[in-house]
Structure formats: C-alpha cells, structure tokens
Amino acid sequence: MLLFTLTAIALTAATLGIVVRRYPEEIHSTTRPRTLADSITIDQMSTHLDQLQRIANSGGGTRAISTAGFNNTLDYITTYLTQNTNLLLKKQYFDASTSRLASNPILISHMNNQQINYTYETNFTLMTNSGSANFGTGVRAAVIPDIGCTEDNWQAASGTVALVKRGCNFVDMANLAAKSGVVGLMIYNDGTDCDRYALITGAVPPNTSYPALFLSYPVGLALANAAQNTSINTSVIINVAYVSAISVGNICADTLTGDPTKTIVVGSHSDGVPAGSGINDNGRRESLFDHV
Ligand SMILES: *[C@@H]1O[C@H](CO)[C@@H](O)[C@H](O)[C@H]1NC(C)=O
Ligand SMILES: *[C@@H]1O[C@H](CO)[C@@H](O)[C@H](O)[C@H]1NC(C)=O
Ligand SMILES: *[C@@H]1O[C@H](CO)[C@@H](O)[C@H](O)[C@H]1NC(C)=O
Ligand SMILES: *[C@@H]1O[C@H](CO)[C@@H](O)[C@H](O)[C@H]1NC(C)=O
Ligand SMILES: *[C@@H]1O[C@H](CO)[C@@H](O)[C@H](O)[C@H]1NC(C)=O
Ligand SMILES: *[C@@H]1O[C@H](CO)[C@@H](O)[C@H](O)[C@H]1NC(C)=O
C-alpha cells in the first residue's frame, strides 16, 4: 500500500500539468494536498505506467539515463504536457559526472621478475572517491612508516604508490598523501584481530586525484615486505576507469501565471534503473513532495 501510494504521488510529476490546469484555484487553498491527491485516479496512472512499460520494452527493457528508453520517456512527458496543458516547457541537457566504474579496477605488482595479478573485491578494493588511473608502466611502491598520520611519515612518498598500514583516519591520511605528491595510495588492513584481515570499505576525500585502494592484510603485508627489501624492486600497475560524464535530460514545466517570488518547485526523476523498466522506481526514491 505504501509503495503504491508513493508511485501515485511521484507519477503526478507527469500529470501535474493536468492538475494545475484543472484546479488552479486549489493551488492557493488550504485543502490543496487533498485535492491534488484526489485528482489522481488509478486509471490515469495506469495509462502512464503502461506507456512507460511500452517505452522500456521497445528500448531493450530499460529507461535508464543515456538509453533510448530515457529519451523516449522525456519525449512522452513533453508531448503529453504539450497536448494537454498550457505549461511552458523547457527541455535541457546537462552533464552529470558519475562514480560508476567502466570496468573492474586492476592491480598488478612486480617484485623483480615475479608478476602478481590481484583479484578485485577479493585481494583489494577501491576506496570511495578514488581518482582514476591508467599506469602504463609500474610505479615504485614505497612503505610509509608507522601509520602515516604525521607529515614526516610522508617525506619520501613523492612519485611513489604509497603503501600504508591501516590505523590513521583515512581522510587525514589521504590529505597528507596528496600533499606529499603520491601517484597512488594503498592502505592495507593491519591483521591485529581476526576481523582486521579482510577488505573494508572506506573513503578518501571527494575529488581525490590519485587512485586509492584498500588491500587485505596478507596482500598488503607481502607487498610491504617486498617494498622494504632493498634487493627487490617492487612496483605496481593500477588501472581505475569510471564511466565518463553522461548527458542527462531534464524537463521544466512552468505555469504561465502565478507569483514568481513565491515559486513552488515540484520534482521527480524520470529515469529508471538499468535492470528493468523502472515502473515502480519512479515512486521509490523521490516523491512529489520531496521537493516542495
Ligand atoms: C538522447 O538525446 C540526446 C539529446 O538529443 C542525444 O544527444 C543522445 O544521443 C540521445 N541518446 C540516445 C541513447 O538516443
Ligand atoms: C595479468 O593481467 C595482465 C593485464 O591485465 C594480463 O595481460 C595477464 O594475462 C594477467 N595474468 C594472469 C595470470 O591472469
Ligand atoms: C587473493 O585472495 C585469495 C582469496 O583469499 C587468496 O587465495 C590469494 O592468495 C590472494 N592473492 C594474493 C596474490 O595474495
Ligand atoms: C569536485 O570537482 C568538481 C569539478 O571540478 C567540482 O564541481 C566539485 O565542486 C568538487 N567537489 C568537491 C567536494 O570539492
Ligand atoms: C629480501 O629478498 C631476498 C630475495 O628475495 C631474500 O633472499 C631475503 O631474505 C629478503 N630479505 C628479507 C629481510 O626479507
Ligand atoms: C632495480 O631497479 C634498478 C633501476 O631500474 C636496477 O638498477 C636494479 O638492477 C634493479 N634491481 C633488481 C634486484 O632487479
């Protein structure tokens, strides 16, 4: 019932034009929310849901952004509002950056002639906000003394991929790493307890320019031992690629009348998830009233 209600409310973004046109006086009345809710019928909603489903079906089963299904959704809303309302419509595209990975990150080490490929999400993971990277050749791995919490720990880190044991606040450490001029950062679990061997999720500051990885304790320890051994040249190759910024379409529908100093903005997202047609997704995350 709750899900259903949310769907009903969010879909109103598409049908709002009708509501505004039919009930302009209620916009200013104290009974507005009830009137708005009452004006939405199951039939009306189902009509739109069927149309969105058709759009998804004819576009590979999805209406996610940067798919034909998404564009067709915008066209459907635009056409509908043009034919049924006098709202002033504007369609605009803007570039949205994305934290979606284009492929699994790669970590390869060379200890003299021995090459090891590590498994993403098993031996290492990517820290949230990590920068992208595409190392053509190996970069020397350097062990940071202690737990990398003070500036003097980072004196010799410039131009290396710094390998540091977990212990210091990740953000503080990442800032010190950036200041020292590292090419990459690898934090490894410290193995001080059974629950401190595996991978954990952690974040470096937004817009971190270098790749930041978290390594399991055994992987980090083996690399640290090699990197500290003067008879072993230890280098790593890191590749991290994100999906590039994507163009996202937005529709603005303004009423022709009203007080421009007292504007109510009503929003809803028109895309769906990549995994399906997104018929109930439109109601799930953002409801009509989130933005009022
Ligand atoms: C969606 O429309 C935009 C703007 O017209 C266009 O640049 C983009 O290529 C279209 N995307 C698809 C998948 O059709
Ligand atoms: C290691 O990774 C490199 C680069 O992706 C690849 O060419 C190579 O085949 C991999 N080796 C193994 C043993 O998986
Ligand atoms: C990667 O993790 C697996 C599973 O824990 C382990 O068997 C393997 O030895 C690890 N690889 C390296 C290079 O440590
Ligand atoms: C990250 O960089 C983008 C693009 O340069 C900028 O718009 C944004 O404000 C930055 N975010 C933070 C948290 O610094
Ligand atoms: C350093 O590496 C060499 C060559 O693999 C090895 O023989 C030596 O035992 C290592 N030294 C230490 C202190 O681990
Ligand atoms: C380590 O690399 C340096 C510089 O490339 C080279 O001179 C040296 O021979 C290498 N050492 C080993 C043990 O491979």
Side-chain angles (χ1 to χ4, degrees), residues 71-144:
N71 279 7
N72 289 335
T73 299
L74 296 190
D75 288 346
Y76 172 69
I77 296 171
T78 308
T79 305
Y80 193 88
L81 292 180
T82 305
Q83 288 173 356
N84 296 283
T85 75
N86 64 357
L87 293 168
L88 191 60
L89 293 185
K90 265 177 279 173
K91 204 194 282 186
Q92 50 194 208
Y93 279 81
F94 63 94
D95 284 340
S97 63
T98 159
S99 56
R100 214 175 343 138
L101 289 166
S103 54
N104 281 349
I106 288 172
L107 173 63
I108 298 170
S109 73
H110 286 98
M111 303 174 201
N112 290 343
N113 292 325
Q114 185 195 9
Q115 175 178 318
I116 299 176
N117 290 13
Y118 300 90
T119 309
Y120 176 61
E121 298 293 36
T122 302
N123 303 134
F124 77 101
T125 190
L126 191 68
M127 298 190 73
T128 303
N129 301 323
S130 164
S132 54
N134 187 8
F135 293 5
T137 55
V139 175
R140 191 169 69 83
V143 174
I144 301 301

Side-chain angles (χ1 to χ4, degrees), residues 24-263:
E25 63 283 5
E26 276 88 356
I27 291 292
H28 303 288
S29 102
T30 50
T31 61
R32 169 169 47 87
R34 183 157 182 77
T35 309
L36 186 59
D38 288 351
S39 71
I40 302 161
T41 67
I42 290 174
D43 277 357
Q44 229 177 13
M45 247 186 354
S46 298
T47 304
H48 294 303
L49 292 177
D50 286 344
Q51 291 302 328
L52 294 179
Q53 183 68 57
R54 276 189 198 106
I55 288 170
N57 290 351
S58 68
T62 181
R63 298 182 307 101
I65 47 176
S66 65
T67 67
F70 178 72
N71 279 7
N72 289 335
T73 299
L74 296 190
D75 288 346
Y76 172 69
I77 296 171
T78 308
T79 305
Y80 193 88
L81 292 180
T82 305
Q83 288 173 356
N84 296 283
T85 75
N86 64 357
L87 293 168
L88 191 60
L89 293 185
K90 265 177 279 173
K91 204 194 282 186
Q92 50 194 208
Y93 279 81
F94 63 94
D95 284 340
S97 63
T98 159
S99 56
R100 214 175 343 138
L101 289 166
S103 54
N104 281 349
I106 288 172
L107 173 63
I108 298 170
S109 73
H110 286 98
M111 303 174 201
N112 290 343
N113 292 325
Q114 185 195 9
Q115 175 178 318
I116 299 176
N117 290 13
Y118 300 90
T119 309
Y120 176 61
E121 298 293 36
T122 302
N123 303 134
F124 77 101
T125 190
L126 191 68
M127 298 190 73
T128 303
N129 301 323
S130 164
S132 54
N134 187 8
F135 293 5
T137 55
V139 175
R140 191 169 69 83
V143 174
I144 301 301
D146 300 329
I147 50 170
C149 245
T150 58
E151 203 165 335
D152 60 299
N153 291 159
W154 296 84
Q155 270 167 6
S158 178
T160 70
V161 171
L163 180 62
V164 56
K165 197 186 271 186
R166 174 185 179 186
C168 186
N169 175 285
F170 293 153
V171 170
D172 293 344
M173 200 189 322
N175 286 330
L176 288 171
K179 208 172 161 192
S180 76
V182 298
V183 174
L185 175 65
M186 302 191 297
I187 302 173
Y188 66 102
N189 218 338
D190 62 11
T192 54
D193 214 334
C194 347
D195 63 351
R196 290 175 79 99
Y197 274 68
L199 303 177
I200 60 165
T201 52
V204 290
N207 288 353
T208 291
S209 60
Y210 54 79
L213 309 181
F214 190 91
L215 278 45
S216 72
Y217 174 62
V219 167
L221 182 68
L223 271 174
N225 284 339
Q228 281 173 313
N229 186 327
T230 47
S231 63
I232 303 177
N233 281 341
T234 306
S235 66
V236 293
I237 289 174
I238 300 175
N239 289 345
V240 176
Y242 293 103
V243 173
S244 53
I246 38 184
S247 182
V248 182
N250 213 18
I251 299 169
C252 292
D254 287 325
T255 53
L256 294 176
T257 56
D259 181 348
T261 66
K262 290 180 182 152
T263 305

